[in-house]
Amino acid sequence: MSQPERSAEIAALYQEMILDHYRRPRNKGTLESPDAEAQMRNPLCGDEIDLQVNFAGDTVGDLRFSGRGCSISQASASMMTQIVKGKSTAEVDAIRNRFRDLMLGDQSAATDSVLGSLRALSGVSRFPARVKCALLAWNALESALQGRRG
Ligand code: ZN
């Protein structure tokens, strides 16, 4: 397969993954008694994310999000909840920083396995206006973790 064909195939696969998370969001809803929560808005696009987190020691035990907005914002939130569940707060910080690298167009991040399915969002880096959409859930998570740290 030629390079352009391969790139087109990956782009189509990534698009499919984004739409799948948008249509069937993982960990959507609310927690009964969250340890921390945060709300984030992206007025440029109309995206909203409300995030709730329960901790188990130093790890993210469980988390749920609710919200509305574009497919990028909601798919990113869904993917984020999947990848950070069960991770320590230090691991979450590392993944969040790497995801920011990806959104800033860092090519090495696009092949970094630590990002898992989040790599499906790599194409967003070419559209600066949409980077805010993709980072919204991560900003909510950072805010929730800071609240927890006091
Ligand atoms: Zn958006």
Side-chain angles (χ1 to χ4, degrees):
M1 198 182 295
S2 73
Q3 194 61 41
E5 277 171 355
R6 177 111 182 91
S7 302
E9 191 172 85
I10 291 170
L13 174 69
Y14 281 179
Q15 187 63 28
E16 188 69 23
M17 288 168 70
I18 291 167
L19 286 176
D20 180 59
H21 275 270
Y22 178 56
R23 290 176 183 140
R24 297 189 306 118
R26 321 307 198 262
N27 301 305
K28 193 155 186 185
T30 53
L31 295 171
E32 221 161 84
S33 51
D35 296 322
E37 51 192 317
Q39 289 85 39
M40 285 285 159
R41 302 286 178 267
N42 175 16
L44 291 175
C45 188
D47 305 322
E48 303 179 5
I49 296 286
D50 290 9
L51 185 71
Q52 299 185 325
V53 185
N54 276 337
F55 296 95
D58 188 45
T59 58
V60 173
D62 201 2
L63 73 174
R64 294 279 190 283
F65 82 98
S66 54
R68 56 185 182 168
C70 70
S71 59
I72 299 292
S73 68
Q74 304 302 305
S76 179
S78 172
M79 290 172 175
M80 178 192 81
T81 60
Q82 271 195 322
I83 202 165
V84 304
K85 204 173 193 171
K87 299 277 199 308
S88 71
T89 51
E91 286 172 315
V92 169
D93 284 346
I95 296 168
R96 196 182 60 241
N97 287 334
R98 205 68 182 121
F99 185 65
R100 277 207 179 110
D101 291 344
L102 183 70
M103 289 300 102
L104 294 173
D106 183 332
Q107 287 305 307
S108 69
T111 56
D112 193 333
S113 61
V114 75
L115 290 177
S117 63
L118 295 170
R119 288 172 294 181
L121 292 162
S122 57
V124 173
S125 66
R126 294 197 307 274
F127 307 97
R130 310 308 298 280
V131 168
K132 279 192 183 353
C133 304
L135 289 176
L136 194 64
W138 291 90
N139 292 337
L141 181 61
E142 186 172 22
S143 174
L145 293 184
Q146 275 168 359
R148 146 92 170 188
R149 282 164 192 152

